[in-house]
Amino acid sequence: MNDSDKRLDRVRGLARLPAVARLVDLALDEDLGRGDVTTEAVVGADDTIVRAVIVARKPLVIFGLDVASAVFWRVDAEIEIEAGARDGEAVAAGTAVLALSGPAGAILRAERTALNFLQRLSGVATLSRKFAEAVAHTRARVVDTRKTTPGYRVLEKAAVRAGGCSNHRFDLGSGVLIKDNHIAACGSVTEAVRRARAHAPHPLRIEVEVDTLAQLDEALAAGADIVLLDNMSPEQAAQATIRAHARSVLVEVSGGIDLATAPRYAEAGVDIISAGALTHSAPAVDLALDMLAAAGGAGA
Amino acid sequence: MNDSDKRLDRVRGLARLPAVARLVDLALDEDLGRGDVTTEAVVGADDTIVRAVIVARKPLVIFGLDVASAVFWRVDAEIEIEAGARDGEAVAAGTAVLALSGPAGAILRAERTALNFLQRLSGVATLSRKFAEAVAHTRARVVDTRKTTPGYRVLEKAAVRAGGCSNHRFDLGSGVLIKDNHIAACGSVTEAVRRARAHAPHPLRIEVEVDTLAQLDEALAAGADIVLLDNMSPEQAAQATIRAHARSVLVEVSGGIDLATAPRYAEAGVDIISAGALTHSAPAVDLALDMLAAAGGAGA
Amino acid sequence: MNDSDKRLDRVRGLARLPAVARLVDLALDEDLGRGDVTTEAVVGADDTIVRAVIVARKPLVIFGLDVASAVFWRVDAEIEIEAGARDGEAVAAGTAVLALSGPAGAILRAERTALNFLQRLSGVATLSRKFAEAVAHTRARVVDTRKTTPGYRVLEKAAVRAGGCSNHRFDLGSGVLIKDNHIAACGSVTEAVRRARAHAPHPLRIEVEVDTLAQLDEALAAGADIVLLDNMSPEQAAQATIRAHARSVLVEVSGGIDLATAPRYAEAGVDIISAGALTHSAPAVDLALDMLAAAGGAGA
Amino acid sequence: MNDSDKRLDRVRGLARLPAVARLVDLALDEDLGRGDVTTEAVVGADDTIVRAVIVARKPLVIFGLDVASAVFWRVDAEIEIEAGARDGEAVAAGTAVLALSGPAGAILRAERTALNFLQRLSGVATLSRKFAEAVAHTRARVVDTRKTTPGYRVLEKAAVRAGGCSNHRFDLGSGVLIKDNHIAACGSVTEAVRRARAHAPHPLRIEVEVDTLAQLDEALAAGADIVLLDNMSPEQAAQATIRAHARSVLVEVSGGIDLATAPRYAEAGVDIISAGALTHSAPAVDLALDMLAAAGGAGA
Amino acid sequence: MNDSDKRLDRVRGLARLPAVARLVDLALDEDLGRGDVTTEAVVGADDTIVRAVIVARKPLVIFGLDVASAVFWRVDAEIEIEAGARDGEAVAAGTAVLALSGPAGAILRAERTALNFLQRLSGVATLSRKFAEAVAHTRARVVDTRKTTPGYRVLEKAAVRAGGCSNHRFDLGSGVLIKDNHIAACGSVTEAVRRARAHAPHPLRIEVEVDTLAQLDEALAAGADIVLLDNMSPEQAAQATIRAHARSVLVEVSGGIDLATAPRYAEAGVDIISAGALTHSAPAVDLALDMLAAAGGAGA
Amino acid sequence: MNDSDKRLDRVRGLARLPAVARLVDLALDEDLGRGDVTTEAVVGADDTIVRAVIVARKPLVIFGLDVASAVFWRVDAEIEIEAGARDGEAVAAGTAVLALSGPAGAILRAERTALNFLQRLSGVATLSRKFAEAVAHTRARVVDTRKTTPGYRVLEKAAVRAGGCSNHRFDLGSGVLIKDNHIAACGSVTEAVRRARAHAPHPLRIEVEVDTLAQLDEALAAGADIVLLDNMSPEQAAQATIRAHARSVLVEVSGGIDLATAPRYAEAGVDIISAGALTHSAPAVDLALDMLAAAGGAGA
């Protein structure tokens, strides 16, 4: 193979993961699987090369450029794409985040699916940026939860990171989190922590969810590595943090925390604030595709 | 295994569609694919039969009970499920929408994925109900768009119907919608409508998007079956509707319409109001799984 | 491989759809999944570059060149392909519709699967052309039905269009067709049409199947947009058409219509003739792959 | 539904193969994937239990009952099915080959896909029966080829057997068939047979395609187990058969053989007649679904 | 749904995971996808109900009963299965680990695939048991690596646990393991640990691979939670362990450790011994299926 | 992206088969599906271009270079790969079988999966080479069995051939092998062979398994093409071979044959020796990836 023989396939990053490719397939099946009756009837096979841009209509943090590009290329590999921003970048209203050049019909068929990915994932990144900024004056980090759109976890968690927050465990297999039901099933916090330490994969810390300061003390005594304070007030959290930090134990808080309350927990000294809203309730941001003059045209 | 042990597959409705089954697979792969290290380490294979309920924490319109049930059954077919509400039903805070009985470990493994589907789809149904109610005093109907979560179109569109709104075209193959680019490509509205009528599948009406009253007149003259008024004010829409109805042509309005402005368009006499927000920005609703006493226990 | 002819991904058109890619995978799994024992044993890894053509043995309308090309490229991306005809073109016997150049072993492995797609889809296009020509002197159009080969709908419907006929609804979701069972379930034609108009997606016309002129009158009074006359004679159809056209209602006829009877219905003035035979009974057309002299050979 | 009739999973036979399940998925995706807008709008969720039969409209050999049943059960597992014939059985016009009982909406949604499979596969079985009968007075057997509908090989080959014919090799991996190109690539028939014997899996016989009697003699001398006479007349075939049988070598003939010419080859003494038409050009047979009175109804 | 309406589907445990179901599909495709020509030709559709047992020919630790059962049920849901041992159990030669009753043809078709899973996974469990016993007199645990059979990770890691060993990180996403390349890329161990602590998901410990005692000291100073000693002798490991334990840091050793050397490392005081051989080189164990007398037969 | 940026797909050979692509997807899902937390946290998106080699640590027969390359390209198409050996080649310790150049992060993410394929398949090829050499002084060939890793049959059988052994039937559909159960079901060896000859695809030879010389005589009289001697001693095999060869019948032996006993059977004159160990118990061979200096660096 010689040097010039470069790129097989321009899809990059997360969009190359088999699970993401399956999601893109589902999306194309559902929107394009029966063709585009309007374009076929009115325009025919529209192979005119056109230029278009995807533009942020409002200020936002962009995320999903790789996936959006992959959607365009799945529909037609001839489409040329140039990025005008990088994933995770905060862009002003009017910014062209992707510039496209390719057959008009293909760009129009892929447009909606590409935008649907982009506006959702950028919504997550944009909201994450707000949370990150809300606690930036403290040492706390805001993390996501497993309350993600089913099928989108790897994408939404990357959007969270791109927005400036951090990730909690990816799934049930990448973090030990002992809750009420586990404790009930094995008798005590102490026993639960002992079993976790004996049997769980050693690369994982042991986190214990506690509702009260009494439970906190039991968890600390049992040797938890992290305590998760569920639905405590910032004041209680501050008190709990002092006790936990005395034993070098990390403190996480959760329970309906929003942009208004996050700073109060952060200022209480906790290490980690988990917020389901980052992924389950981020509104879509406003992005649109604008067609430009046909490529090669006079003024182009 | 004894004779009585033969049962058929209980998954119902949309959850039986291959595309939905693929989405459920993606979701289970991502959350359970590596096991549940906490339960395995702390409790072991937890086959204790327990009872649990999924409860609405706030008033909401529930949707997705079939999919949520399918998630539980995919994880363990032994789980028994009884519905406490029907898809599309408005339930009060505290309502148990599903009652479960089955192995504790399986219920816990499936919990998050089932809830993630349910809280998102019920969010769409709940917002759709609000839109439907906002225009209930008129003859207008509110419809969705193609701005759905990629991979979720069949589910989200069903949630929209369950909430009391209607569906626009499902995809690019189930509706003719002539826009600027199509008109530009073939020269005129008249020619575009002629071609659509000649070549598109005859079960489809011809819809034309117009930005001005002049374009409206051209579309009406060309024989459009439906006109889509994009970004017009309610006043302009009222005027356009009079002209269109004089020719028995349906009128749709679109463009950032929200709960506040929808009634004004409806009162202007339009037939259809399309709102992307129904699917792209419906916040998740609050649902949770509560474990009850172990099944078969004394007082249970 | 020469430098000038390297493309990222040359698969085009329908062959890029995920559902078509899955069908191609099924086909390759079944024919090549265990290797080619003859070639491996007798020739070894046969990477000699050869030239070959796919030739029409009889006059036919070609369709499926994109899919056939995709099959070759799935087996070996090094194969170069040049089309000698365009999808939908009527070609004479002896026409080379595709010219191939590539490794002998790969071309032989892909040959049968590519031809199997091509001979079936071209069979549909060829029969469609005959139907289209049979009614060309009238304003009627011949359309397909849902009686397609399962898994092939998007391909066979495209072959029908390429042959010069039109498409009926793609699936159960892209057309409203009220039949006996629907009417029985809701009480009357009038009520069925009313409900369809109230609840079905607005981009869809309302079509009602009728067996008698009495039913026709009921459907017209109820406001149907299209009537489907099932198993009526051309004379009855003519009579029905007069009544329907008086109300600007489209008329479709169906029921075992063949090349001999289609013109009689067309001449009766109906708008649409649907024929299941277009897809369910089109015989395969005769195409074969001929190997030429080895590429680069003296006289080649 | 009575209690005794609930089965975990009733899909049987070929319909359980993963590749067939994938094909059924493709078929359901394409026809039901967007719902049934007519039934939903006009009837709602139609769970009335009805009875229906699938009836042969003409005499035919039925095949595909397992797959058709699987389609119904994939749409709704509550459907009860009783077979009125067995795969491979020749049935008279009017025979109810399947009797169904289940929710009306589900039966209607699955109807077309189930019939599409059944009418195509029974078409193959019916044509195969005719070929088998045409040579029944001889010791020849008629076999299929690899000219099958892509994705349908395992089904169509079973239909061929059900019709009374036999199967040639399943794919490129389950039979050694040395053709011109192989001989050209390795120099001589003798060398090609030697290599096949040395390297191909030992459970496979060595078959050599020959066009002339001179090639036949070379193949026999080389030790072929089977000779394939391509495009020879019945007279030539008779002569070739005498020579081949003298060496206990099987004789196959191929090349556009149809129902008229097959007996002449069979009477010439050949062992095997291969006919691509069995699978690539069998017309669909006529089957339809008739709804009966509602189950449990008075007169039912 | 009433009480008696129990099991939809008897597949349990890991065999229900989508990824495992896909692997089972691949396996059935490859062995059964073209039917069983011998049984079909010689016996026909063999629905005689027979009994059979899967027997351990040698002492072994059994694992994979759920997957093997799933294979049988995928081929025919009528097969009844009773387990004679539990996953993870050490069984004597001659033990019947599964007793089957069902159609002869189906059992024979599924036999090889079921055994292939069982003999491989039990091989892993059996070897893991030997490692576990080799260090049972110490507090060390033996863990697996990512050197698993591609596609089998979740199954092989479960077999390792069933054998009595433990799991290292499941994948690249469920454990932080800083190696040479990472350190080189960011300049120093200290900086690498700092970044991992700042950016990696907080439920994960920070593990650092070290080759020398100097590197060990640097890792300890940097605040590693775990150190991985690569290719050290037991004596070096002992020395390293003393230093690490002084800081409450866990010690793992790796590098070609086998059954002979594992106890020496364990006695040196290390916490964790990782051994790729557990999964990449465990020989298959000897299991076979024996047919018993036909069910219902006189003496049965 | 500029014009020169168009390239075709470099994946070759078996790695292009859909079933192998699915296996590679499963493997990437399981190892990379959640990202690489260490590299992301410590190094970030590491796009530094580096060079690396995959090196044989011990002498071995390499197999799987196409699949390993496919793994790298699936992770990142920018990776350049040059092979330093050919599949089936015996290489010395220290040989660089693949040389890689590409983004550091991508190479590290793909490393383990690529090596896992390579070390397993090369293990099969290496063991096959030993078997082939053990009988090289005779005319016997060693063949594999169906005791392969589920999902890996096409790969492991190719590795067997690459190692110098041959393949037995691929699956249940590509060889007739009559065993005890078949004979019991139809009454006698004679009848079983007669049915196989009448009904099985004619390209397949008829093989009969026999345990005793009496059964051998019956099989020979019945007209078997091949006899499989199960668990006979070399001496018995020699005797059986004389009788079989007198009738030009091939002789296969099976039953726990290893490297020590294979030559004794080969010297007894048998034609084929089947050995399950080739695939079910071949230990992984030792291969590793070594990073070289960064590409473009001074000394590079």
Side-chain angles (χ1 to χ4, degrees), chain B residues 43-83:
Chain B
V43 191
D46 189 356
D47 282 343
T48 319
I49 300 299
V50 296
R51 292 190 305 133
V53 285
I54 292 183
V55 178
R57 291 275 185 253
K58 302 251 175 73
L60 53 85
V61 176
I62 193 76
F63 187 78
L65 296 171
D66 281 345
V67 178
S69 299
V71 168
F72 283 108
W73 286 324
R74 280 295 309 275
V75 172
D76 193 328
E78 304 290 321
I79 298 172
E80 297 295 324
I81 304 179
E82 198 166 350

Side-chain angles (χ1 to χ4, degrees), chain B residues 3-14 16-22 154 161 167 170-171 174, chain D residues 1 6-10 24-26 28-29 32-35 40 47 73-79 103:
Chain B
D3 243 355
S4 68
D5 197 25
K6 305 197 168 156
R7 287 305 176 283
L8 74 167
D9 186 324
R10 293 171 295 187
V11 176
R12 304 277 318 189
L14 294 176
R16 293 188 76 83
L17 290 178
V20 175
R22 267 180 234 129
V154 76
R161 290 196 305 275
N167 294 150
F170 190 95
D171 59 13
S174 55
Chain D
M1 201 178 315
K6 304 199 170 151
R7 299 293 262 293
L8 145 76
D9 183 339
R10 293 170 296 186
V24 170
D25 272 9
L26 278 177
L28 296 179
D29 270 335
L32 317 181
R34 282 128 188 80
E40 282 161 35
D47 282 343
W73 286 324
R74 281 296 308 275
V75 172
D76 193 327
E78 303 290 323
I79 298 172

Side-chain angles (χ1 to χ4, degrees), chain A residues 43 75 94 170 195 200 223 228 241 298:
Chain A
V43 191
V75 172
F170 190 96
R195 291 188 192 176
L228 168 57
T241 299

Side-chain angles (χ1 to χ4, degrees), chain B residues 25 74, chain D residues 18, chain E residues 14-28 74, chain F residues 26:
Chain B
D25 272 9
R74 280 295 309 275
Chain E
L14 294 176
R16 293 189 75 84
L17 290 178
V20 175
R22 266 180 235 132
L23 191 59
V24 169
D25 272 9
L26 277 178
L28 295 180
R74 282 293 310 275
Chain F
L26 278 177

Side-chain angles (χ1 to χ4, degrees), chain B residues 1 5-10 25 28-29 32-34 40 47 73-78 80-81, chain E residues 1-2 4-10 12 16-19 22 73 78 80-81 154 161 170-171:
Chain B
M1 222 162 282
D5 197 25
K6 305 197 168 156
R7 287 305 176 283
L8 74 167
D9 186 324
R10 293 171 295 187
D25 272 9
L28 296 179
D29 270 336
L32 317 180
R34 283 129 187 80
E40 283 161 32
D47 282 343
W73 286 324
R74 280 295 309 275
V75 172
D76 193 328
E78 304 290 321
E80 297 295 324
I81 304 179
Chain E
M1 214 164 292
N2 62 48
S4 67
D5 194 17
K6 287 278 172 53
R7 289 202 255 299
L8 140 79
D9 180 336
R10 294 170 293 186
R12 305 277 316 190
R16 293 189 75 84
L17 290 178
R22 266 180 235 132
W73 286 324
E78 302 292 322
E80 297 295 324
I81 305 179
V154 76
R161 291 196 305 274
F170 190 95
D171 59 13

Side-chain angles (χ1 to χ4, degrees), chain E residues 83-165:
Chain E
R86 281 176 316 123
D87 273 339
E89 188 175 334
V91 300
T95 305
V97 295
L98 286 182
L100 309 164
S101 170
I107 288 177
L108 291 171
R109 276 200 303 283
E111 170 188 359
R112 177 77 351 248
T113 300
L115 286 174
N116 284 351
F117 274 109
L118 211 49
Q119 70 190 18
R120 170 167 302 273
L121 296 174
S122 300
V124 172
T126 301
L127 182 59
S128 296
R129 183 64 45 93
K130 288 179 188 159
F131 269 93
E133 289 171 351
V135 304
H137 60 295
T138 72
R139 49 182 293 287
R141 56 165 130 168
V142 178
V143 304
D144 53 24
T145 66
R146 287 166 48 239
K147 296 183 178 178
T148 52
T149 310
Y152 279 74
R153 189 161 293 166
V154 76
L155 293 174
E156 291 184 348
K157 286 198 166 250
V160 163
R161 291 196 305 274
C165 293

Side-chain angles (χ1 to χ4, degrees), chain A residues 69-158:
Chain A
S69 299
V71 168
F72 283 107
W73 286 324
R74 281 295 309 275
V75 172
D76 193 326
E78 303 292 322
I79 298 171
E80 297 296 323
I81 304 179
E82 197 166 350
R86 280 176 318 121
D87 274 339
E89 187 175 333
V91 300
T95 307
V97 296
L98 286 182
L100 309 165
S101 169
I107 288 177
L108 291 171
R109 278 200 302 282
E111 169 188 358
R112 178 75 353 249
T113 300
L115 285 174
N116 285 350
F117 273 110
L118 211 50
Q119 69 190 18
R120 172 166 300 273
L121 296 174
S122 299
V124 172
T126 301
L127 182 57
S128 297
R129 183 64 47 91
K130 290 178 187 158
F131 269 94
E133 289 170 352
V135 304
H137 60 297
T138 72
R139 50 182 293 288
R141 56 167 131 168
V142 178
V143 303
D144 52 25
T145 65
R146 286 166 48 238
K147 296 182 178 180
T148 52
T149 309
Y152 279 74
R153 190 161 293 166
V154 75
L155 292 174
E156 291 184 348
K157 285 197 166 250

